[in-house]
């Protein structure tokens, strides 16, 4: 059993997970209300909120599961990438708990949490698999050959898809967080009503780009010619077309895999899941998407990544390990031409 801690962005979370995939207890404190007035996550506010909420949250999950720290085999916490203040709160807390209970500390890459989360939900999911990781900070296509063995085939050269959803929501005045709000509004709109670009569609390298799409959404909105629901639906459709095209290109370049997996916050979107499920079917692949609550940030995926490492013989990380604002899953991936600073 592992205690997992997550604090890399705007969710404070703790969870207790067992090696046989039972989530004994989990709690998530969302900071949506703290950040809503600013239309996005404010790092300083996030770090303070994590510091206030994390310890009572951990006490709550231990209580709910009726276990103590001494019953845990390890304490796993996100050590990056993410907003550094928040990551430090979670990691320092985990270090203190590990030291006090004399249990190993597991410093987990948040992206690895997302990448392995489908295996927590689905015991049948074996390596290798193709992974589309779509969240607020990342948009990547990876080949996952095992725990710690990731080959990145594509990434975004500008914005992540979740970021594009959030910006579209902001333009349409839908509030924060934007992804679910855009999805809801899009359900009442016509996906063909607004002509929007599909950046990089059909290009040789399977990379993504969403900045131009976001600007086009802004122009469409400012023109006053379109209903917000039609803009939302057309944006979502353009994004889906890009996702499917880019993923199918990456699958060609990836070599043999049996399963297409989608993970990360945007994987909570029903249309995204449906489009990828169709792509998998037409490519002769099995399709796996974790339940929605495991797609958005949570601590069960962090505990699970810890359990995967323990199962491979990990004995813990040194207590002086540092929090890392950047920490790519594939350290050997070539930098992408035209890309900004995103990992
Ligand atoms: O994985 P996550 O919780 O945090 C990061 O690690 O970034 O992903 C959050 C992102 C946000 O951009 C949010 O708008 C997006 O996932 N998201 C969605 C949906 N639910 C969350 N995007 C589209 N449709 C959704 N239903
Ligand atoms: Zn995440």
């Amino acid at each position: 059993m592992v205690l997992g801690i997550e604090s890399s962005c705007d969710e404070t979370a703790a969870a207790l997970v067992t090696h046989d995939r039972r989530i004994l207890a989990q709690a998530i404190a969302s900071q949506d209300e703290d950040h809503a007035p600013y239309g996005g996550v404010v790092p300083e506010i996030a770090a303070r909120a994590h510091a206030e909420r994390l310890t009572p949250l951990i006490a709550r999950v231990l209580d709910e599961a009726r276990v103590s720290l001494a019953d845990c085999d390890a304490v796993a916490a996100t050590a990056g990438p993410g907003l550094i203040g928040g990551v430090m709160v979670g990691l320092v807390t985990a270090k203190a708990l590990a030291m006090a209970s004399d249990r190993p500390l597991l410093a987990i890459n948040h992206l690895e949490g997302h990448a392995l989360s489908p295996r927590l939900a689905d015991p049948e999911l074996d390596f290798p698999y193709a992974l589309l990781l779509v969240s607020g900070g990342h948009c990547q296509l990876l080949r996952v050959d095992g725990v710690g063995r990731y080959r990145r085939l594509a990434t975004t050269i500008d914005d992540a898809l979740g970021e594009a959803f959030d910006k579209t929501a902001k333009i349409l005045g839908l509030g924060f967080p934007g992804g679910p709000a855009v999805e809801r509004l899009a359900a009442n709109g016509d996906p063909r009503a607004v002509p929007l670009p599909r950046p990089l569609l059909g290009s040789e390298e399977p990379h993504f780009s969403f900045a131009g799409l976001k600007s086009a959404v802004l122009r469409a909105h400012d023109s006053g010619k379109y209903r917000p629901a039609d803009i939302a639906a057309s944006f979502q459709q353009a994004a889906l077309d890009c996702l499917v095209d880019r993923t199918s290109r990456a699958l060609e370049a990836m070599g043999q895999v049996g399963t297409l997996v989608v993970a990360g916050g945007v994987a909570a979107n029903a249309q995204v899941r449906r489009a990828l499920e169709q792509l998998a079917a037409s490519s002769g692949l099995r399709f796996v998407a974790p339940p929605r609550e495991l797609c958005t940030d949570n601590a069960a995926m962090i505990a699970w990544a810890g359990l995967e490492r323990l199962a491979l013989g990990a004995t813990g990380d040194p207590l002086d390990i540092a929090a890392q604002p950047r920490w790519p899953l594939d350290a050997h991936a070539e930098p992408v031409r035209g890309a900004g600073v995103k990992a």
Side-chain angles (χ1 to χ4, degrees), residues 176-200:
F176 175 86
V182 170
E183 180 180 10
R184 277 195 298 276
L185 185 62
N188 303 314
D190 175 1
R192 289 170 306 273
V194 187
L196 292 174
R198 270 89 173 137
L200 296 183

Side-chain angles (χ1 to χ4, degrees), residues 1-3 16-19 24 65 67-68 71-74 307 310:
M1 177 170 62
V2 168
L3 169 67
L16 281 160
V17 181
T18 62
H19 71 98
L24 297 184
V67 299
S68 74
D71 300 318
C72 296
D73 295 293
L307 284 156
L310 284 183

Side-chain angles (χ1 to χ4, degrees), residues 19 21 113-127 129 144 146-147 261 288 290 294 304 308 311-312:
H19 71 98
R21 295 181 162 82
H114 280 302
L116 299 175
S117 65
R119 281 168 51 82
L120 167 57
D122 186 341
E124 319 262 272
L125 177 57
D126 288 327
F127 304 116
Y129 52 85
V144 182
V147 177
V261 175
V288 172
L294 277 184
W304 176 251
E308 293 257 33
L312 292 178

Side-chain angles (χ1 to χ4, degrees), residues 10 28 34 40 44 67 102 106 122 141 151 164 198 213 226 243 245 265-266 270 277 335 337:
D10 59 342
I28 302 184
D34 306 74
E44 177 66 22
V67 299
D102 198 21
L106 296 166
D122 186 341
L141 282 156
R151 184 155 71 88
R198 270 89 173 137
L213 175 57
Y226 304 104
L243 270 191
D245 175 76
V266 183
E277 188 167 13
R337 199 161 63 93

Side-chain angles (χ1 to χ4, degrees), residues 27-316:
I28 302 184
S30 160
Q31 301 174 7
D32 288 352
E33 280 176 20
D34 306 74
H35 302 291
Y38 308 95
V41 179
V42 183
E44 177 66 22
I45 293 176
R48 284 168 189 245
H50 288 305
E52 278 166 20
R53 292 172 200 172
L54 182 57
T55 321
L57 219 62
I58 293 169
R60 203 168 97 203
V61 297
L62 289 169
D63 209 45
E64 253 180 61
R66 296 172 193 277
V67 299
S68 74
L69 267 181
D71 300 318
C72 296
D73 295 293
V75 181
T78 294
L83 301 173
I84 194 67
V87 175
M88 285 169 71
V89 170
L91 185 59
V92 165
T93 305
K95 287 178 181 180
L97 295 178
M99 198 180 226
S101 61
D102 198 21
R103 291 290 176 271
L105 166 78
L106 296 166
I108 304 293
N109 183 321
H110 176 83
L111 299 174
E112 181 161 59
H114 280 302
L116 299 175
S117 65
R119 281 168 51 82
L120 167 57
D122 186 341
E124 319 262 272
L125 177 57
D126 288 327
F127 304 116
Y129 52 85
L131 172 71
L132 172 63
L133 203 171
V134 271
S135 70
H138 298 271
C139 190
Q140 306 186 350
L141 282 156
L142 301 133
R143 181 185 159 102
V144 182
D145 280 299
V147 177
R149 296 172 58 205
Y150 310 98
R151 184 155 71 88
R152 195 191 77 190
L153 285 101
T155 186
T156 177
I157 64 166
D158 40 56
D159 295 351
L161 183 52
E163 200 178 346
F165 266 94
D166 292 335
K167 285 177 179 163
T168 296
K170 200 168 180 178
I171 291 167
L172 298 177
L174 301 179
F176 175 86
V182 170
E183 180 180 10
R184 277 195 298 276
L185 185 62
N188 303 314
D190 175 1
R192 289 170 306 273
V194 187
L196 292 174
R198 270 89 173 137
L200 296 183
L201 199 87
S203 72
E204 171 71 13
E205 299 276 342
H207 297 306
F208 299 95
S209 166
F210 293 108
L213 175 57
K214 169 194 68 191
S215 309
V217 165
L218 180 61
R219 283 193 299 275
H221 173 262
D222 289 350
S223 75
K225 289 199 306 201
Y226 304 104
R227 293 169 56 224
D230 288 341
I231 297 178
S234 300
F235 159 78
Q236 187 171 261
Q237 187 58 52
L240 286 177
D241 290 349
C242 295
L243 270 191
V244 169
D245 175 76
R246 309 288 63 215
T247 306
S248 113
R249 179 74 201 92
L251 286 173
E252 286 167 19
M254 191 174 289
Q256 190 78 25
V257 286
T259 314
L260 173 62
V261 175
V262 63
V266 183
N269 183 297
Q271 303 307 318
V272 166
R273 295 163 88 99
R274 215 184 50 168
L276 292 165
E277 188 167 13
Q278 283 169 1
L279 172 66
S282 67
S283 312
L285 299 175
R286 198 160 87 82
F287 176 69
V288 172
R292 279 153 205 264
E293 58 283 8
L294 277 184
C295 290
T296 46
D297 286 349
N298 65 86
M301 69 180 191
I302 302 304
W304 176 251
L307 284 156
E308 293 257 33
R309 283 181 45 196
L310 284 183
L312 292 178
T315 51

